[in-house]
Amino acid sequence: MSAAPTLDPGTHEPPDYQQVQSSAEFDELRRAHRSFAFPLTAAFIVWYLVYVVLSSYAGGFMATKVVGHLNVAFVLGLAQFVTTFLIAWWYSRHAARRLDPRAEAIKSRLEAGA
Amino acid sequence: MSPYQQLSAVPLAAGGAGEHRPLIIALFAVFVAATLGLTVWAGRQTKGAEDFYAGGRQFSGFQNGLAISGDYMSAASFLGIAGAIALFGYDGFLYSIGFLVAWLVALLLVAEPLRNSGRFTMGDVLAYRMRQRPVRTAAGTSTIVVSIFYLLAQMAGAGALVTLLLGITSEAGKVAVVVLVGIVMILYVTIGGMKGTTWVQMIKAVLLIAGTLLITFLVALKFHFNISSLLGAAAENSRKGAAFLEPGLKYGATATSKIDFISLGLALVLGTAGLPHILIRFYTVPTAKAARKSVNWAIGIIGVFYLMTIALGFGAAALIKPADIEKPGNTAAPQLAEVIGGGAGSTGGAVLLALISAVAFATILAVVAGLTLASSSSFAHDIYVNVLRKGEATEKEEVGAARWATVGIGAVAVVLGVFARGLNVAGLVALAFAVAASANLPTLLYSLFWKRFTTQGALWSIYGGLASSVLLVLFSPVVSGKETSMFPGAHFAVFPLENPGLISIPLGFLLGWLGSLLSKEEPDAQKYAELEVRSLTGTGAH
């Protein structure tokens, strides 16, 4: 079966959540969230820790001048700001396109039935 | 002319501060009067539990984003980071990056599912699929511990701040300020509940951003909008040269301090999404989408603010004689305001100094109000209603309990703040982040995303993360053994790191996993299905 179950209109039974949870439709929603959010979280945490570790143990490299008084340490620090803004934007775009419509469909079906 | 020669004799704390006192106090009084008025207005609309805990869930994503920023940017980040940059250059800047990146954890993993599945507290989500009473007790305990550590740092900071900004040096004066802060915060929260607190935080965020923008603009103007020449001037004036712009001045001294910094970084980046006073803000908006939008606004506002700390910190380093910046640097931002406004004795300098000082006080008030609300909500909703009364209290009794809890926790914070005023408690904010990352975040993530998680796992991760982080700090140089310790005379620092995160965060995750595997009880599959479906779809959200 491919869609989340619909409950009979007019009944006030709570939805059968286990049945919804094992539906293909919900599985797609869960996968769309996890396959995006989990690896990305791991990636930005690693990127941040790499930056911290470089600051602690690669002083010479970080001190390399790039432009004027701006050195690699500053450029990487500013890059952390940029990647944070970009990831927030990227996730929000992903959520609006891939998560919200799916979540909305399941929700409205369940609430119409409940 | 070297810039600091003309400004060399401006020790803020001593004589110079006295003459600005009336202006600072007047500005601050206006802030307190205006916000209390607003609180009374908000209080008139605060009737049920949903109003008191969640501000009626009617704030927009933008409003909540502002309030989150107001709740998050504490005096530690405003005065502390600017000061750390002024003294240690690049290493101070390093600090602020962890505070920002951390918001991505909240955005990607926590904010939306929390909004969808909880009602008022972090405990709502943690206890959802578990046995209510033990897990609510644990969640309430860790909420209150994290908030009290954070609160204590802010209260003690308030005492230190008036000394520096108003030149009040008498012990009675400092006690009076801590008590005053306590009374105002109790009034905000008991009268205005979440709605009043949210407005206070929004106003404070606007003031803080406006004040910081103004100083940043003036600094930028002075250096012709050239960041390289600002950095160059800072390096030269600091007398440390290029090293000022490189990693290592603060954290690079020894092998231990390097590891300590990694430990701190881990706690900062993983702590934010486990801070109860941040988490309860996600309940103030109507939907998960609005919660997402509020985190996005918060990331934008907080990010821009931390970028401006570069101008504040390096501006102070470039324009103020290093010896005039008192350690640990908390006065650097107000000092810079005075200098950039025209220097001591000038009207511009006096006005800007007063403005920034009043903003700093406003900052403390908004943050302590948020912390007090988080702990009293958790006490009333998790512990009083769901543990002591087994869920059998009326809404009126619940809100009453929350108001009394506010008074109680406020009183505790005042008493602790008075006792702690002579101690070096700056490390407590970092500790609050470490506890949140070790006890709350693992439990939250397992609850939301791992189907085999059990009650025993939840208890192990909360209590294990909480106990290990607190104990490691107790036996660390934060508490004893060093000149900068809370008790410099005592020597029981057997744990070398000041930040416990490197050990306690993995331990919290490990214990949650192990506790679940070793659990005799089967996980509640029905309840997990309910939580998972609700948290991802928003079905049945409050």
Side-chain angles (χ1 to χ4, degrees):
Chain A
M1 111 181 241
S2 62
T6 314
L7 289 155
D8 288 338
T11 60
H12 291 276
E13 292 290 306
D16 182 346
Y17 283 110
Q18 271 178 299
Q19 211 182 336
V20 181
Q21 190 191 31
S22 52
S23 70
E25 194 183 15
F26 185 76
D27 193 54
E28 269 180 35
L29 169 63
R30 172 176 34 208
R31 211 157 354 143
H33 178 253
R34 293 193 175 193
S35 66
F36 188 89
F38 287 8
L40 195 54
T41 302
F44 74 71
I45 290 178
V46 167
W47 158 225
Y48 169 72
L49 289 178
V50 163
Y51 167 71
V52 168
V53 168
L54 282 177
S55 291
S56 288
Y57 297 100
F61 166 67
M62 296 294 260
T64 315
K65 288 266 161 62
V66 180
V67 183
H69 291 282
L70 274 179
N71 54 25
V72 172
F74 267 93
V75 172
L76 289 185
L78 294 173
Q80 290 281 339
F81 281 82
V82 173
T83 51
T84 302
F85 294 145
L86 281 178
I87 290 170
W89 168 79
W90 191 26
Y91 168 74
S92 302
R93 201 185 66 149
H94 172 80
R97 288 183 182 178
R98 309 254 177 267
L99 305 182
D100 291 347
R102 290 192 166 104
E104 199 55 49
I106 298 174
K107 180 186 171 193
S108 56
R109 188 138 358 115
L110 287 176
E111 289 186 345
Chain B
M1 177 169 53
S2 158
Y4 68 74
Q5 277 168 346
Q6 63 196 54
L7 320 157
S8 54
V10 204
L12 195 76
E19 61 201 69
H20 304 308
R21 205 181 292 166
L23 191 56
I24 298 175
I25 292 176
L27 281 175
F28 186 56
V30 169
F31 175 81
V32 170
T35 46
L36 281 178
L38 205 63
T39 301
V40 170
W41 168 81
R44 291 226 183 104
Q45 305 167 24
T46 297
K47 303 212 163 62
E50 193 151 289
D51 298 317
F52 187 85
Y53 292 129
R57 309 197 200 282
Q58 288 308 314
F59 287 99
S60 70
F62 171 67
Q63 287 176 321
N64 192 37
L66 256 186
I68 289 174
S69 315
D71 207 2
Y72 193 64
M73 295 182 294
S74 62
S77 54
F78 173 44
L79 301 176
I81 291 179
I85 296 176
L87 289 172
F88 303 107
Y90 173 81
D91 274 11
F93 170 55
L94 203 51
Y95 216 102
S96 58
I97 291 170
F99 279 128
L100 177 69
V101 174
W103 279 98
L104 291 175
V105 181
L107 178 68
L108 269 63
L109 301 177
V110 176
E112 297 172 53
L114 182 98
R115 172 64 193 85
N116 274 335
S117 55
R119 288 181 71 199
F120 302 135
T121 62
M122 178 179 77
D124 286 340
V125 178
L126 300 190
Y128 198 99
R129 34 192 291 228
M130 308 299 170
R131 279 181 282 128
Q132 293 289 311
R133 296 179 71 187
V135 177
R136 292 245 184 214
T137 308
T141 307
S142 94
T143 295
I144 293 170
V145 169
V146 170
S147 302
I148 290 272
F149 278 134
Y150 214 124
L151 206 47
L152 183 53
Q154 303 292 326
M155 296 294 269
L161 200 61
V162 286
T163 315
L164 294 167
L165 299 179
L166 298 179
I168 294 174
T169 46
S170 75
E171 288 306 307
K174 286 187 217 173
V175 170
V177 168
V178 173
V179 173
L180 182 78
V181 167
I183 290 173
V184 175
M185 105 191 157
I186 290 171
L187 288 176
Y188 282 155
V189 178
T190 48
I191 299 173
M194 178 54 106
K195 193 168 278 181
T197 305
T198 303
W199 280 102
V200 172
Q201 288 168 342
M202 277 161 38
I203 293 175
K204 164 262 171 110
V206 170
L207 289 176
L208 181 58
I209 292 291
T212 321
L213 262 176
L214 179 63
I215 307 288
T216 301
F217 178 75
L218 292 174
V219 169
L221 204 61
K222 192 156 196 120
F223 291 93
H224 310 289
F225 295 89
N226 183 339
I227 184 170
S228 175
S229 69
L230 166 65
L231 295 179
E236 192 193 342
N237 189 46
S238 73
R239 305 264 172 90
K240 297 189 178 92
F244 195 69
L245 307 177
E246 294 161 13
L249 283 182
K250 186 170 166 65
Y251 301 107
T254 62
T256 312
S257 71
K258 285 179 179 179
I259 297 173
D260 219 340
F261 182 69
I262 295 171
S263 188
L264 171 70
L266 203 60
L268 296 184
V269 82
L270 296 177
T272 299
L275 289 173
H277 70 290
I278 296 299
L279 296 175
I280 60 168
R281 292 230 49 89
F282 299 134
Y283 296 128
T284 66
V285 292
T287 61
K289 252 194 248 183
R292 180 195 308 151
K293 207 171 278 177
S294 51
V295 182
N296 278 328
W297 276 109
I299 287 176
I301 296 167
I302 294 167
V304 167
F305 173 76
Y306 284 138
L307 281 174
M308 293 194 292
T309 59
I310 297 177
L312 255 56
F314 286 104
L319 298 172
I320 302 166
K321 194 171 151 187
D324 285 344
I325 302 173
E326 243 177 281
K327 282 187 180 166
N330 283 334
T331 54
Q335 278 174 294
L336 173 68
E338 184 174 43
V339 167
I340 205 84
S346 71
T347 314
V351 169
L352 271 188
L353 171 63
L355 194 73
I356 291 299
S357 305
V359 167
F361 285 122
T363 288
I364 289 185
L365 277 179
V367 173
V368 293
L371 290 162
T372 309
L373 181 64
S375 31
S376 55
S377 295
S378 183
F379 179 82
H381 183 68
D382 293 323
I383 294 181
Y384 174 74
V385 173
N386 281 297
V387 176
L388 298 177
R389 301 282 300 269
K390 299 176 192 163
E392 298 289 311
T394 66
E395 196 173 333
K396 206 170 166 196
E397 286 174 316
E398 178 164 358
V399 175
R403 290 206 159 99
W404 280 112
T406 304
V407 176
I409 286 163
V412 168
V414 167
V415 171
L416 289 175
V418 165
F419 280 110
R421 71 188 190 281
L423 305 178
N424 188 339
V425 290
L428 287 182
V429 170
L431 173 61
F433 274 79
V435 177
S438 315
N440 299 350
L441 188 73
T443 323
L444 210 49
L445 294 182
Y446 284 139
S447 288
L448 289 168
F449 299 113
W450 189 36
K451 68 170 185 247
R452 301 223 29 93
F453 198 44
T454 67
T455 296
Q456 178 173 293
L459 296 177
W460 282 24
S461 59
I462 296 178
Y463 287 125
L466 183 65
S468 61
S469 46
V470 172
L471 282 175
L472 286 176
V473 169
L474 190 64
F475 292 103
S476 82
V478 171
V479 173
S480 73
K482 264 176 44 177
E483 209 182 308
T484 50
S485 305
M486 252 184 246
F487 305 102
H491 295 277
F492 48 86
V494 289
F495 182 67
L497 301 182
E498 296 197 357
N499 204 287
L502 202 57
I503 309 283
S504 63
I505 296 170
L507 192 67
F509 278 99
L510 183 74
L511 285 173
W513 174 74
L514 206 63
S516 299
L517 286 192
L518 298 179
S519 185
K520 292 195 186 82
E521 189 177 20
E522 277 297 306
D524 187 338
Q526 169 61 38
K527 273 292 198 185
Y528 180 59
E530 198 178 316
L531 175 66
E532 195 183 23
V533 171
R534 288 186 53 178
S535 70
L536 275 180
T537 63
T539 306
H542 288 278

